[in-house]
Amino acid sequence: MSSIGSKGSLFAIVALLTVLFQLSPLSTALDNRLLDSAFSLLRSIEPIPLEDDVVLVGIEENTGKGFDEPFSLWHPHIGRFIKAVSESQARLLALDIVLPDRSYDSLLPGYDRQLLAGLLAARNKLPLVLAQTVDGSGDIRPIFPPIISLAGRDALGLVLVHPDPDGVVRRYTPELVTDRGSYTSLVNRMAERLNVPREPGLIDYTLGQPISYIPMQQVLDWYAQGDQGNLARFRDKVVLLGSVLPFADRHRLPVPLAAWEPGNRRAPGVLVHVQALRTLMHEGVIKTIQPLTTLALALVAILLLSRVSPPLVTALLALSALVILGLATVGLLGTGIHLPATTLAIGIVLTTVARFAFTGVHAFLERRRLTQSFGRYVSPNVLEGILDGQIHPAGEGRQLPLCVLFSDIRSFTRRSESLPPEEVVALLNRYFDQMVAAVHDKGGTVDKFIGDGLMAFFGAPNPQDNPAQAAFAAARDMLQRLETLNKELEQSGTTPIRIGIGLHLGDAVVGHVGASSRLEYTAIGDTVNLASRLEGLSKTLGYTVIMSGEFADALPGDSDLVELGEQHIKGHTPVQIYGWGDT
């Protein structure tokens, strides 16, 4: 398959994975987490101020301590509270407490009348909304019929809240569905009475300051004292009475809302109703962009990023896109639009990863192909340097300190005259297999084969700490491998091979030499010539390895070298030389 076809298939897989992610519960869960973070960020910058806020009256622990009766017998207190709020000319009163389902007059004569009197007093002064709930079997719990008669059936709203699958309450729904049917929610009933839009959507948790409350007992004290100044707080306001007890009716919210419990995201249910009503009274719910729209944006991003060639450019574009996406998500939320960004972000990230993976795999396969094709023609370190871009054909030669090694088979010309050509080549190949391996094992570079001779150098293209030590180790390894090879040759009836090795350390020019159509990575200079001449001396001086004084000085002191004094070198001034290994 072509690279273009492979690339297209890869990004088709990325698109499929993005679609599957969009359909998975993980997408929704991550979107909700990001939404909560955006809410928190916007609130930390500055909550949107509200000119017409909801007033919360809380039933707290001290409220219960102020009354002698249990909550089910608070009829007189609730009746007086309703009177107090209705006489203060409030805009609407909602009770987030479920009123009794039967009469208590048989226990305390006149109790029902006190509650009903409060409802009657409020009937013609302000809209009244009462709470409903369900019992353990899921049925709507009944309310004492006279209460419904005074408030009206269209004043009832279900107080249940429906959290998301992760347990966090984020959404407003006008109708709540139970096992027994669909019922109008308490907030929807309040919005209906206030004549504000009631579309379903996300509750806007960026609105308003943290919610405070006025204790119910405080309101009753104001009413008993005729304190019209404090009761005026309710004038033209929506008033909501509910429980703010610390361990009852708690729900997880995206942000902390209770002013008296900073940092606590588990808030009383009445705060959910307050924030939902704030949302409806302000500019309405937050609208969520449809999943198909975000998926389409993700697929467009995948298509665009997959067409960018350099992986680094892809990464920079992807990073920029993610930053812009994050800013856009927060900015849109501030305008009442929720962008579920995780599918788009996942598409961008997967495309970037796929782009790098494709480039990496393609480069690996191409490198392997080149290695297989040319690895037998150049030394591994040279091939690595070419593939890594460290060795450039157009680059200038560099003068480097090198150790140059020359080796040559003794009397090979006479041997080859008596053997068929194919046997000569086979023997040389067996020999060079071992010699080249010895050079490469010690980090050396095989420069060329000269008939039955071999030239190698150490210290280029990769620098070595002590190229002389590496070259000497390679020479000894060559002789050890030759000993093993000779045993094999003797067993097959072939005359053993004898070689000579010359070693010199000095500066040489290393680089590409040749014509524009045919180059060779090689070393040239006096160092190379002298190493060749030293190899020639091994024929007459009785040692397998002949090295220069410069080379010997770079070796450790325990190398068992034999000083041979100064020797005349053809075409060169006399050179101090050393021998190693008897011939």
Side-chain angles (χ1 to χ4, degrees):
M1 183 181 293
S2 67
S3 62
I4 295 177
S6 301
K7 185 177 179 181
S9 300
L10 179 63
F11 289 107
I13 293 173
V14 170
L16 177 60
L17 291 175
T18 304
V19 172
L20 293 176
F21 173 80
Q22 170 82 308
L23 299 175
S24 71
L26 180 61
S27 172
T28 301
L30 292 177
D31 279 330
N32 286 338
R33 289 289 185 89
L34 289 176
L35 175 62
D36 295 349
S37 298
F39 276 138
S40 297
L41 176 61
L42 290 173
R43 284 194 71 86
S44 67
I45 297 173
E46 184 178 3
I48 299 174
L50 295 174
E51 295 180 1
D52 186 17
D53 205 354
V54 178
V55 178
L56 174 62
V57 177
I59 298 174
E60 57 177 10
E61 292 178 312
N62 291 331
T63 304
K65 294 176 183 178
F67 303 141
D68 297 329
E69 309 91 342
F71 177 75
S72 58
L73 297 177
W74 279 15
H75 297 53
H77 312 304
I78 295 174
R80 285 188 294 116
F81 173 78
I82 294 173
K83 283 183 179 181
V85 174
S86 61
E87 291 176 10
S88 68
Q89 301 178 18
R91 184 179 175 188
L92 177 143
L93 172 61
L95 303 183
D96 185 18
I97 57 173
V98 181
L99 295 179
D101 59 351
R102 58 185 178 273
S103 171
Y104 286 88
D105 270 0
S106 60
L107 297 177
L108 296 168
Y111 246 56
D112 294 345
R113 186 168 57 252
Q114 296 181 65
L115 174 57
L116 295 174
L119 294 171
L120 183 61
R123 182 173 185 175
N124 297 320
K125 292 185 177 180
L126 81 169
L128 188 63
V129 178
L130 304 181
Q132 281 184 303
T133 190
V134 296
D135 57 23
S137 62
D139 292 319
I140 293 294
R141 179 181 163 184
I143 296 178
F144 188 40
I147 295 176
I148 297 178
S149 298
L150 286 173
R153 286 198 171 274
D154 59 353
L156 301 178
L158 202 60
V159 294
L160 300 180
V161 296
H162 281 187
D164 286 336
D166 60 357
V168 179
V169 181
R170 300 183 181 89
R171 303 172 199 281
Y172 158 73
T173 51
E175 300 293 322
L176 298 174
V177 179
T178 70
D179 295 337
R180 299 296 189 267
S182 178
Y183 300 91
T184 296
S185 68
L186 181 73
V187 176
N188 187 57
R189 191 66 76 187
M190 294 162 63
E192 183 182 88
R193 293 299 182 91
L194 294 170
N195 196 28
V196 296
R198 304 181 300 279
E199 294 182 84
L202 292 169
I203 299 171
D204 190 349
Y205 283 97
T206 66
L207 291 174
Q209 296 294 328
I211 300 169
S212 300
Y213 68 88
I214 302 171
M216 178 183 173
Q217 183 63 46
Q218 182 68 70
V219 176
L220 293 178
D221 289 345
W222 291 339
Y223 184 63
Q225 297 165 10
D227 188 347
Q228 297 300 318
N230 278 312
L231 290 174
R233 301 183 186 193
F234 302 136
R235 182 173 297 159
D236 297 324
K237 297 293 185 181
V238 175
V239 181
L240 184 58
L241 172 67
S243 169
V244 293
L245 294 171
F247 304 111
D249 187 31
R250 290 273 168 153
H251 302 276
R252 287 173 57 200
L253 306 183
V255 298
L257 275 185
W260 65 96
E261 295 177 353
N264 187 3
R265 296 192 179 193
R266 295 192 65 85
V270 68
L271 267 62
V272 176
H273 302 318
V274 171
Q275 196 65 25
L277 190 60
R278 279 175 160 182
T279 300
L280 298 180
M281 292 171 62
H282 186 248
E283 292 184 356
V285 295
I286 293 174
K287 297 293 186 180
T288 300
I289 294 177
Q290 292 299 313
L292 284 178
T293 302
T294 58
L295 181 59
L297 291 173
L299 295 178
V300 169
I302 291 171
L303 179 63
L304 293 177
L305 286 176
S306 65
R307 293 179 175 273
V308 179
S309 293
L312 183 58
V313 175
T314 304
L316 292 175
L317 287 176
L319 180 60
S320 301
L322 291 174
V323 171
I324 293 172
L325 181 60
L327 295 175
T329 300
V330 176
L332 287 173
L333 188 63
T335 65
I337 299 174
H338 171 223
L339 171 62
T342 53
T343 297
L344 187 51
I346 286 295
I348 293 171
V349 171
L350 286 179
T351 304
T352 306
V353 172
R355 187 71 186 83
F356 274 92
F358 177 83
T359 303
V361 171
H362 184 269
F364 170 78
L365 294 176
E366 181 66 12
R367 189 184 192 96
R368 188 174 69 174
R369 185 185 68 81
L370 292 173
T371 300
Q372 292 173 343
S373 300
F374 301 104
R376 299 177 65 182
Y377 293 92
V378 295
S379 291
N381 48 9
V382 175
L383 181 60
E384 288 293 324
I386 293 173
L387 295 178
D388 292 340
Q390 297 176 0
I391 298 177
H392 300 280
E396 297 180 354
R398 294 184 300 162
Q399 184 165 297
L400 299 173
L402 293 183
C403 286
V404 180
L405 178 151
F406 272 89
S407 71
D408 188 68
I409 299 178
R410 297 286 171 258
S411 304
F412 190 78
T413 301
R414 190 180 319 119
R415 178 198 292 257
S416 62
E417 290 174 349
S418 62
L419 293 174
E422 58 272 16
E423 291 187 19
V424 173
V425 174
L427 178 61
L428 281 178
N429 286 344
R430 290 182 66 183
Y431 165 73
F432 282 132
D433 275 344
Q434 300 301 318
M435 301 303 103
V436 169
V439 172
H440 287 167
D441 283 351
K442 302 304 182 291
T445 299
V446 174
D447 184 294
K448 60 176 64 71
F449 302 106
I450 311 168
D452 60 305
L454 178 148
M455 172 186 169
F457 52 83
F458 297 77
N462 300 323
Q464 292 176 298
D465 293 337
N466 190 335
Q469 189 171 357
F472 189 46
R476 288 182 294 179
D477 191 19
M478 290 169 66
L479 295 176
Q480 290 176 357
R481 290 172 180 267
L482 181 62
E483 183 178 349
T484 302
L485 176 62
N486 281 333
K487 290 179 180 178
E488 297 175 359
L489 294 176
E490 288 178 348
Q491 291 176 358
S492 62
T494 303
T495 304
I497 294 173
R498 295 171 54 246
I499 66 172
I501 298 174
L503 297 168
H504 179 51
L505 170 66
D507 290 339
V509 176
V510 181
H512 287 284
V513 176
S516 59
S517 59
R518 171 66 170 87
L519 294 174
E520 184 178 47
Y521 184 79
T522 187
I524 58 176
D526 182 66
T527 298
V528 177
N529 296 332
L530 181 56
S532 176
R533 297 285 191 269
L534 293 176
E535 182 275 321
L537 289 179
S538 67
K539 302 174 183 178
T540 58
L541 294 180
Y543 290 91
T544 305
V545 179
I546 299 296
M547 64 191 73
S548 65
E550 293 86 348
F551 187 95
D553 291 341
L555 295 178
D558 57 350
S559 299
D560 297 329
L561 305 181
V562 177
E563 185 176 354
L564 300 177
E566 285 191 350
Q567 298 289 331
H568 291 283
I569 305 296
K570 183 179 179 181
H572 200 282
T573 58
V575 176
Q576 181 74 25
I577 62 172
Y578 291 78
W580 184 88
D582 294 336
T583 58

